[in-house]
């Protein structure tokens, strides 16, 4: 298939592009390189022996995007591009709504012009907001009590996609709700390198391990969880990437569908730290700090819908992800 990947040089996008190329698809990437580098393209080439077509473009410039769709007839769009820092979204909500919503609307307009009616969207478990039941199923309500503008853009985009599907009986949209992606390609060539001080756990752990940051703050050890720290569903990014190819099965039929991509098993923040220390054989300096506002105590996926409909499940463990993270760190020192 001819597939357009927006945000294809980013952390998750680049891992998906590797899997697409390995499976014989023709890939075109659009990326504005705000949070990624062209070295990802070079490394995708090293891993797969193939180079995707690349456009350095921003989805908020409609004319540029429309031209790409007029020049090539794509079969499918996989949409990752978007801003993704929770804390930045609280400080700069307008920027988040502009990039994530206007960017998606422009993409959908250009898809109409290019007669493309299939999209897989990179959504997030954040659309569920808070709930009494930590294990989320796709039929649980979305959009309530979402703690930040970033999360709300994911929810709003899902709603837009539902409306587009309702208006066009041939249109199909699959929202993949990611839980907590960690790890990287086992070659250590692709990975997550956010600008500045990271918000997310694993990028922060990596900076402490490399000595760039002094110590990890574990936000809260007084939660109602087995060890008092928050629990999340950490999924290896290679398993997550496989979920996108599995989603081709669902995107074949019209309508809106959502799937959780997670392991179904929670791991605590402290367990991540302990496992990191065990595998690396080194101490990871850390201390307990106050709770981070907006954090849920626990959230993990019920991945059974993806297993049933997409024949997809995870194969890799948190240990695999940490081992691959250490390979990445060795490659980048
Ligand atoms: N944490 C720390 N110290 C840090 C960073 C994180 O203790 O320096 C803790 C957090 O408090 C939380 C856990 O590690 O308990 C995971 O935090 P992340 O920021 O890595 O991930 P979140 O679960 O908060 O957010 C992730 C994605 C979001 C997505 C959300 C959906 O980053 O994009 O899951 O649940 F919206």
């Amino acid at each position: 298939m001819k597939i357009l990947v927006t945000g294809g040089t980013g952390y998750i996008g680049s891992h998906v592009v590797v899997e697409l190329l390995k499976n014989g698809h023709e890939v075109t990437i659009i990326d504005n390189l705000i949070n990624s580098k062209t070295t990802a393209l070079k490394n995708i080439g090293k891993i797969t022996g193939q180079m995707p077509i690349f456009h350095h473009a921003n989805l908020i410039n409609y004319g540029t995007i429309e031209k790409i769709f007029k020049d090539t007839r794509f079969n499918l769009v996989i949409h990752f591009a978007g801003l993704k820092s929770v804390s930045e979204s609280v400080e700069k909500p307008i920027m988040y709504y502009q990039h994530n919503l206007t960017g998606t609307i422009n993409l959908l307009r250009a898809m109409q012009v290019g007669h493309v009616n299939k999209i897989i969207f990179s959504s997030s478990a954040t659309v569920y907001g808070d709930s009494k039941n930590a294990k989320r199923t796709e039929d649980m309500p979305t959009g309530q009590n979402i703690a930040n503008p970033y999360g709300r853009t994911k929810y709003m985009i899902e709603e837009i996609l539902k409306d587009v599907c309702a208006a066009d009986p041939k249109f199909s949209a699959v929202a993949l709700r990611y839980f907590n992606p960690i790890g990287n390609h086992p070659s250590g060539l692709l990975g997550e390198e956010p600008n500045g001080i990271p918000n997310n756990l694993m990028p922060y752990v990596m900076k402490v391990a490399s000595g760039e940051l002094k110590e990890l703050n574990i936000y809260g050890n007084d939660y109602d969880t087995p060890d008092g720290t928050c629990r999340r569903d950490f999924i290896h990014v290679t398993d997550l990437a496989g979920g996108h190819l599995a989603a081709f099965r669902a995107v074949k039929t019209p309508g809106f569908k959502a799937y959780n991509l997670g392991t179904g098993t929670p791991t605590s923040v402290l367990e991540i730290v302990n496992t990191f220390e065990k595998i690396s054989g080194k101490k990871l300096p850390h201390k307990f700090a106050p709770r981070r506002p907006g954090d849920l105590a626990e959230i993990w996926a019920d991945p059974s819908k993806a297993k049933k409909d997409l024949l997809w499940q995870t194969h890799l463990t948190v240990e695999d992800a940490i081992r691959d993270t250490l390979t990445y760190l060795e490659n980048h020192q």
Side-chain angles (χ1 to χ4, degrees):
M1 279 201 287
K2 266 194 175 42
I3 303 176
L4 179 75
V5 180
T6 74
T9 58
Y11 170 50
I12 299 172
S14 60
H15 284 87
V16 172
V17 169
V18 164
E19 298 306 314
L20 294 173
L21 292 172
K22 271 179 21 192
N23 282 276
H25 298 288
E26 247 176 78
V27 177
T28 300
I29 294 176
I30 300 179
D31 205 302
N32 62 7
L33 301 174
I34 282 188
N35 204 17
S36 60
K37 300 192 183 95
T38 48
T39 44
L41 290 173
K42 211 177 66 196
N43 289 329
I44 288 169
K46 269 195 201 164
I47 293 168
T48 63
Q50 298 169 67
M51 282 304 269
I53 297 165
F54 176 67
H55 296 280
H56 184 191
N58 196 324
L59 292 182
I60 59 180
N61 301 323
Y62 177 70
T64 319
I65 307 308
E66 191 191 71
K67 183 164 183 328
I68 293 168
F69 276 88
K70 280 187 171 162
D71 291 347
T72 309
R73 177 80 202 255
F74 298 105
N75 305 105
L76 166 73
V77 171
I78 308 184
H79 179 33
F80 297 98
L83 299 175
K84 60 165 198 171
S85 160
V86 167
S87 57
E88 189 182 47
S89 80
V90 174
E91 283 157 30
K92 300 175 182 170
I94 299 169
M95 186 169 98
Y96 269 67
Y97 289 119
Q98 189 195 13
H99 273 264
N100 294 5
L101 297 186
T102 309
T104 303
I105 291 165
N106 283 346
L107 180 66
L108 291 166
R109 284 172 64 200
M111 283 173 67
Q112 240 174 5
V113 172
H115 305 287
V116 186
N117 56 14
K118 292 183 176 57
I119 186 167
I120 295 175
F121 170 58
S122 144
S123 188
S124 165
T126 197
V127 299
Y128 292 116
D130 205 356
S131 153
K132 277 197 194 94
N133 192 347
K135 184 167 161 179
R136 303 299 204 268
T137 52
E138 290 85 349
D139 54 6
M140 283 180 172
T142 57
Q144 290 155 3
N145 307 318
I146 299 177
N148 55 76
Y150 156 77
R152 270 187 287 281
T153 66
K154 291 292 179 190
Y155 164 71
M156 287 173 186
I157 292 169
E158 285 200 2
E159 296 304 295
I160 291 170
L161 293 175
K162 286 178 193 169
D163 287 339
V164 174
C165 289
D168 178 354
K170 290 204 176 101
F171 199 92
S172 104
V174 174
L176 298 178
R177 296 178 180 159
Y178 308 155
F179 282 71
N180 288 64
I182 58 167
N184 45 259
H185 190 268
S187 63
L189 289 169
L190 299 172
E192 188 174 21
E193 255 183 284
N195 299 324
I197 297 183
N199 285 285
N200 294 122
L201 180 63
M202 199 47 92
Y204 204 105
V205 164
M206 288 163 75
K207 293 212 173 194
V208 174
S210 69
E212 225 177 293
L213 293 171
K214 201 170 110 259
E215 63 185 349
L216 173 75
N217 291 304
I218 297 183
Y219 298 130
N221 63 344
D222 57 352
Y223 283 100
D224 186 15
T225 60
D227 65 20
T229 67
C230 293
R231 293 203 297 170
R232 293 288 182 274
D233 188 335
F234 296 98
I235 171 172
H236 194 299
V237 70
T238 300
D239 274 337
L240 187 79
H244 295 72
L245 279 85
F248 291 1
R249 196 173 267 276
V251 87
K252 273 190 202 142
T253 49
F256 176 88
K257 299 165 203 83
Y259 291 97
N260 288 340
L261 294 187
T263 65
T265 309
T267 304
S268 77
V269 176
L270 197 56
E271 282 168 337
I272 290 282
V273 171
N274 292 339
T275 310
F276 198 94
E277 289 188 334
K278 195 176 95 205
I279 295 177
S280 68
K282 290 189 192 131
K283 284 274 159 227
L284 188 83
H286 60 273
K287 70 168 193 302
F288 293 114
R291 290 181 179 198
R292 184 172 73 175
D295 269 344
L296 306 177
E298 326 189 86
I299 172 167
W300 65 89
D302 179 339
S304 49
K305 187 180 172 200
K307 187 170 179 189
K308 182 167 160 277
D309 293 2
L310 311 179
L311 311 180
W312 171 89
Q313 63 184 20
T314 58
H315 300 284
L316 300 166
T317 60
V318 161
E319 285 80 5
D320 293 324
I322 291 177
R323 234 171 261 123
D324 293 334
T325 303
L326 289 163
T327 309
Y328 179 88
L329 279 173
E330 276 166 29
N331 276 2
H332 290 79
Q333 281 191 351

